């Protein structure tokens, strides 16, 4: 059997100690210390009132809150202010613990709740300055109407909080109150705006790839790095938009002339262009080198020996810091993404469009989404909304869903909106164009529950805040970083600054309300123009005309760079590498009129699943502006394209249930490629041969009960480990994964070199190889070369070295057989993919790091699920760390534009954030089976589905 290569995990002592204190208090609250059960007083006191009436300060009229059998509320009001005030009240009823934790996270104040273990995280978040940017947006960018809605929402939250504390809010708040007399403060409009920064952080694009490539350069050649980041396969996987053109500062889709081309104000007035080799450039030469320098990574081979050691340590430390930042939406890797597609009425059974969406995010309890309807009893100038869909608790409006006229969905566009800059730091400032400029500084005080406050100083350059200040090992970032000879003297070393579009104040909150009340495609595109961060693919459908209309818009702030392509850290001391335009966000971005869009394409459908938006280049049908070079590789999107094409050929039509079935498609592209090869491998071990036979006749679908899927994915994981994982620098390998290397991993492997034990340091969510569709493409390109150096693995005590593809595959098959025997038992008839691939829903605070019995009380699961990495039913897993589910379709919806009451939806968990509430996880089992709930929208349908009605009344109203 393969050797045990895992070292004991590093303990997170500070936070865990604090959580143990909270858990002990929770035990007292619940009566567990006396052998009792979770009492009504201790737990159910925070459950929301859902019937009768309540008086809410600030209301000018009554608001009805109608909940269905799953606790999903539909709100009815007579004016906008009352509607959003009631939304804040109802969100707080069900989800205030989640809201409270979120606002502490976005403002860098987690230490106030959880103690000293969160100080480093808070310091990093304070350095980014999310809260300051959100405040600036509220003060200077958002419309008066949006500010009014945000204030009404905050008033509703505060109306709920009035007179409540501890157990009245949640069992978690009860613990905080007893342990530190914690009292939640009033909600503010900026608390809501700041949430968009957290959303943008988790969807920030290629920052992790930028770090990973730099780290790879310390151990791999540039040619090897290029093999691990292959170009997008445009010949095989279709981009979102095809055949359009950019001419005269305006993008025009293929076949569209004039209609719906106006977008109002854009997201910037930059000059566009931003072309880097037709968007196909590779990693540049040494940092700060001229454009014609050899394209061999951070430095040429002469400089790389030893010089890369410093950079390796520094960027590895930055990656470790990033791992500690709470990933509210999910891991930032190549596998994470979303699906959305829309089909024209000419190809549907209803004669009107069908629109599907399922964003892939981190599995959380409660779900990041909250289903809700916001209805004006009569739509008018005073009451403009009749919309339903998925909301974020803590933020007003509906983010994804439909109103009476249009429907929309979102997937992450994946644009490159972050750049790391090396900065030469001196005592008096930093170097820029041969001058020393002073830092912009501010002091921050971090309050710590149960401890002394900590003071930090945030330093900012004209390229952004110095993120290296927040890491012990990054205090002198770049002390040995390989750079061009023209770079300035190192002095005490280089620091690292972060330039990120979300750190410029914007108007994304305006876009939410504009989307909610949009009636036409032009309205939709005008709303999209304000959706600046995070940059999303927006799809559209309406029911106007014979077949309705479908459309797409790529919005967002996409920087226009000087030199460089954003793939590697840039020289911050050279203005030629800076983003073009002013820092105030009014310039320097690709203008919205130049961003790709589409309307009613001749193919009759639009698919967005994180693939390339458009083919780059300057020829016909190509796009010259640089959006990113790090797209998802299109495995999911092309599968959806193929499923639609197969359904509509020969006059076929697509139904609502067909859309649901497509969302649950479990087909594995990499299995279809490799299984025929694995079946031909000659193996002598009877146990391995028996496992190999599981693949005979397998159709490559990853159902929960499939033994073949279990074995194949175990083989795939071991192929990745043997061929790529063991060749990665330690900073990319999974934490605790240890192996013997020569010297420090960078020196020559000669007779004098010493072998040392080297253990990986990367967190489980971002370790490589993660097995996403980038790795599908890597293997697809290499698999024909049976003698590729990647297909080698050193000998072990019991096995000879693998020297070619088939030998490595044979070893992976053997290792997989032993691994599954250990995990699932020797009897292959009991194997199933679901037993390996389990979903456990965890409370995002105490449920993740608290003692086992507390996790048992707050967490739920596991569920055995099908699906997998880079499949349409994207229950993702990281091949470096195991088979457990790391991201999921966080919700699923199918909107029927012919009859909105026949639309369907589901959430990952339930409406409630209160443990032991009936709606805590009442949708999860249905979600796991691929079922969808009815989604009533019209008043008659809502009334029919209503089981509880709560009337919110003004304070002065009679009982």
């Amino acid at each position: 059997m393969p050797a045990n290569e895992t070292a004991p995990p590093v303990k997170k002592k500070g936070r865990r100690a604090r959580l143990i204190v909270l858990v002990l208090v929770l035990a007292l609250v619940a009566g567990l210390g006396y052998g009792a059960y979770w009492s009504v007083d201790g737990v159910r006191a925070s459950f929301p009132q859902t019937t009768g009436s309540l008086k809410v300060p600030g209301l000018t009229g009554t608001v009805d809150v109608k909940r269905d059998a799953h606790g999903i509320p539909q709100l009815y009001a007579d004016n906008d202010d009352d509607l959003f005030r009631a939304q804040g009240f109802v969100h707080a009823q069900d989800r205030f613990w989640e809201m409270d934790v979120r606002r502490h996270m976005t403002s860098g104040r987690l230490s106030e709740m959880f103690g000293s273990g969160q100080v480093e995280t808070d310091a990093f978040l304070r350095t980014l300055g999310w809260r300051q940017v959100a405040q600036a947006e509220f003060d200077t960018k958002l419309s008066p109407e949006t500010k009014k809605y945000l204030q009404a929402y905050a008033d509703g939250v505060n109306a709920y909080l009035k007179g409540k504390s501890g157990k009245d809010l949640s069992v978690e708040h009860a613990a905080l109150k007893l342990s530190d007399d914690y009292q939640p403060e009033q909600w503010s409009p900026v608390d809501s705006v700041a949430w968009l920064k957290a959303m943008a952080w988790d969807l920030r694009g290629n920052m992790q790839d930028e770090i990973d490539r730099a780290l790879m350069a310390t151990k791999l050649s540039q040619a090897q790095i290029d093999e691990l980041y292959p170009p997008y396969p445009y010949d095989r996987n279709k981009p979102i938009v095809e055949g359009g053109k950019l001419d005269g500062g305006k993008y025009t889709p293929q076949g569209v002339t004039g209609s719906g081309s106006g977008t109002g104000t854009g997201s910037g007035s930059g000059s566009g262009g931003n072309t880097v080799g037709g968007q196909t450039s590779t990693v540049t030469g040494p940092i700060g080198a001229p454009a014609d320098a050899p394209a061999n990574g951070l430095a040429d081979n002469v400089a790389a020996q030893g010089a890369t050691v410093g950079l390796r340590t520094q960027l590895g430390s930055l990656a470790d810091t990033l791992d500690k930042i709470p990933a509210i939406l999910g891991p930032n890797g190549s596998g994470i993404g979303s699906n959305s597609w829309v089909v024209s009425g000419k190809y549907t059974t209803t004669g009107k469009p069908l629109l599907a969406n399922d964003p892939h995010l981190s599995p959380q309890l409660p779900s990041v989404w909250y289903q809700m309807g916001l209805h004006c009893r009569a739509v008018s100038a005073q009451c403009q909304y009749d919309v339903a869909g998925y909301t974020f608790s803590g933020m007003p409006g509906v983010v994804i869903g439909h109103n009476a006229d249009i429907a929309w969905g979102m997937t992450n566009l994946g644009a490159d909106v972050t750049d790391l800059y090396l900065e030469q730091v001196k005592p008096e400032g930093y170097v820029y164009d041969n001058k020393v400029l002073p830092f912009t500084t501010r002091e921050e005080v971090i309050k710590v529950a149960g401890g002394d406050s900590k003071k930090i100083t945030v330093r900012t350059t004209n390229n952004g805040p110095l993120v290296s200040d927040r890491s012990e090992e990054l205090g002198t970032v770049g002390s040995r970083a390989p750079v061009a000879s023209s770079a300035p003297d190192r002095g005490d070393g280089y620091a690292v600054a972060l330039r990120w579009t979300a750190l410029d104040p914007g108007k994304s909150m305006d876009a939410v309300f504009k989307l909610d009340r949009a009636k036409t495609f032009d309205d939709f595109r005008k709303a999209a123009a304000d959706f600046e961060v995070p940059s999303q693919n927006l799809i559209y459908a309406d029911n106007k005309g014979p077949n309705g209309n479908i459309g797409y818009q790529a919005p967002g702030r996409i920087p226009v760079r000087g030199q460089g392509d954003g793939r590697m850290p840039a020289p911050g001391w050279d203005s030629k590498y800076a983003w073009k335009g002013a820092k105030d966000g009014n310039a320097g971005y690709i203008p919205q009129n130049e961003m790709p869009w589409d309307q009613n394409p001749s193919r009759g459908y639009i698919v967005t699943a994180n693939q390339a938006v458009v083919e780059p280049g300057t020829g016909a049908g190509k796009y010259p502006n640089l959006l990113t070079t790090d797209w998802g590789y299109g495995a999911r999107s092309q599968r959806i394209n193929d499923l639609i094409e197969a359904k509509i050929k020969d006059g076929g039509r697509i139904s609502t249930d067909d859309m649901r079935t497509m969302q649950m498609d479990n087909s594995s592209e990499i299995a279809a490629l490799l299984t025929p090869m694995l079946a031909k491998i000659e193996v002598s071990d009877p146990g391995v041969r028996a496992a190999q036979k599981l693949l005979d006749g397998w159709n490559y679908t990853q159902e929960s009960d499939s033994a073949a899927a279990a074995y194949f994915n175990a083989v795939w994981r071991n192929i990745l480990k043997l061929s790529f994982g063991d060749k990665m620098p330690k900073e990319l390998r999974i934490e605790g994964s240890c192996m013997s290397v020569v010297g420090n991993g960078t020196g020559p492997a000669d007779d004098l070199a010493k072998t040392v034990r080297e253990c990986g340091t990367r967190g489980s969510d971002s370790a490589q190889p993660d097995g996403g569709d980038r790795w599908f493409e890597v293997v697809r390109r290499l698999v024909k070369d049976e003698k590729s150096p990647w297909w080698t693995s050193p000998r072990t005590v019991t096995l000879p070295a693998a020297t070619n593809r088939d030998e490595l595959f044979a070893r992976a098959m053997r290792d997989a057989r032993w691994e599954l025997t250990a995990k699932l038992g020797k009897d292959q008839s009991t194997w199933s993919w679901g037993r390996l691939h389990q979903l456990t829903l965890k409370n995002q605070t105490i449920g993740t790091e608290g003692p086992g019995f507390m996790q048992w009380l707050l967490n739920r699961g596991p569920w055995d699920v099908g699906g997998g990495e880079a499949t349409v039913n994207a229950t993702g897993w990281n091949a470096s760390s195991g088979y457990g589910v790391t991201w999921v379709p966080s919700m699923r919806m199918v909107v029927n534009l012919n009859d909105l009451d026949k639309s369907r939806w589901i959430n990952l968990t339930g409406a409630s954030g209160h443990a032991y509430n009936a709606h805590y996880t009442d949708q999860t089992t249905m979600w796991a089976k691929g079922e969808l709930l009815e989604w009533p929208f019209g008043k008659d349908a809502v009334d029919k589905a209503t089981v509880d009605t709560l009337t919110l009344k003004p304070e002065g109203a009679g009982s």
Side-chain angles (χ1 to χ4, degrees), residues 20-192:
I20 289 174
V21 173
L22 294 179
V23 167
L24 292 175
V25 175
L26 276 170
L28 294 176
V29 172
L32 291 173
Y34 301 94
Y37 55 89
W38 285 75
S39 66
V40 172
D41 183 61
V43 177
R44 296 184 180 178
S46 60
F47 288 6
Q49 178 179 335
T50 60
T51 61
S53 64
L54 288 171
K55 293 184 179 180
V56 176
L59 286 180
T60 60
T62 62
V63 179
D64 291 324
V65 183
K66 300 183 178 185
R67 293 179 184 258
D68 66 11
H70 294 279
I72 301 170
Q74 305 279 346
L75 278 54
Y76 289 84
D78 292 319
N79 62 73
D80 293 340
D81 283 1
D82 281 356
L83 190 61
F84 293 116
R85 186 174 281 105
Q87 185 182 20
F89 187 92
V90 173
H91 271 167
Q93 277 190 307
D94 281 330
R95 298 283 191 93
F96 185 69
W97 171 253
E98 176 190 33
M99 294 164 62
D100 204 14
V101 171
R102 280 182 181 175
R103 67 166 162 179
H104 279 79
M105 188 271 289
T106 57
S107 58
R109 295 170 54 204
L110 288 169
S111 299
E112 295 179 21
M113 300 182 81
F114 303 112
S116 60
Q118 292 301 304
V119 169
E120 289 185 11
T121 295
D122 284 345
F124 189 86
L125 294 170
R126 298 282 187 101
T127 298
L128 293 180
W130 292 354
R131 178 76 184 193
Q132 284 77 11
V133 178
Q135 185 70 59
E137 287 184 0
F138 185 82
D139 292 341
T140 66
K141 293 292 184 180
L142 299 182
S143 70
E145 183 179 56
T146 295
K147 291 182 181 181
K148 184 177 70 169
Y149 295 159
L150 287 164
Q151 187 61 60
Y153 181 90
D155 291 344
V157 175
N158 293 328
Y160 175 76
L161 294 178
K162 186 177 180 180
K164 292 183 175 66
S165 65
K167 67 181 181 181
D168 299 324
L169 296 172
S170 71
V171 69
E172 296 94 337
H173 279 109
L176 288 178
K177 183 170 178 61
L178 285 177
S179 61
D180 276 311
D181 197 28
Y182 174 83
Q183 180 66 34
E185 63 192 39
Q186 293 280 287
W187 193 266
S188 78
V190 180
D191 291 332
S192 298

Side-chain angles (χ1 to χ4, degrees), residues 343-346 348 350-353 404-406 519-521 540-550 599-600 897-898:
V343 181
S344 168
K346 66 182 179 180
T348 67
T350 67
K352 298 292 185 180
D405 297 289
I406 76 164
K519 295 182 180 299
T520 66
F521 188 55
Y540 167 94
D542 68 38
N543 58 9
K544 299 172 180 63
N547 301 121
N549 297 285
I550 63 174
Q599 184 181 23
N600 295 327
L897 273 296
N898 183 61

Side-chain angles (χ1 to χ4, degrees), residues 645-711:
E645 285 289 343
K647 192 68 181 179
I648 65 177
K649 72 177 181 179
D650 301 326
R653 290 179 176 266
I654 294 174
S655 68
T656 300
D657 196 58
D658 290 332
M659 300 283 274
R660 181 198 67 80
T661 300
M662 292 177 190
Q663 288 179 324
M664 295 302 295
D665 183 81
N666 289 326
S667 179
S668 169
E669 177 186 288
I670 194 65
L673 174 68
L674 295 184
T675 299
M677 299 179 188
L678 298 175
K680 297 176 182 178
I681 301 290
E682 292 187 8
V683 294
S684 57
D685 186 298
V688 179
R689 195 161 57 247
Q692 184 184 40
K693 288 184 179 299
L694 292 173
L695 303 178
D696 292 348
W698 180 44
N699 63 357
Y700 318 131
T701 60
Q702 301 168 96
E703 302 297 338
S704 175
D705 62 357
S706 172
Y711 181 60

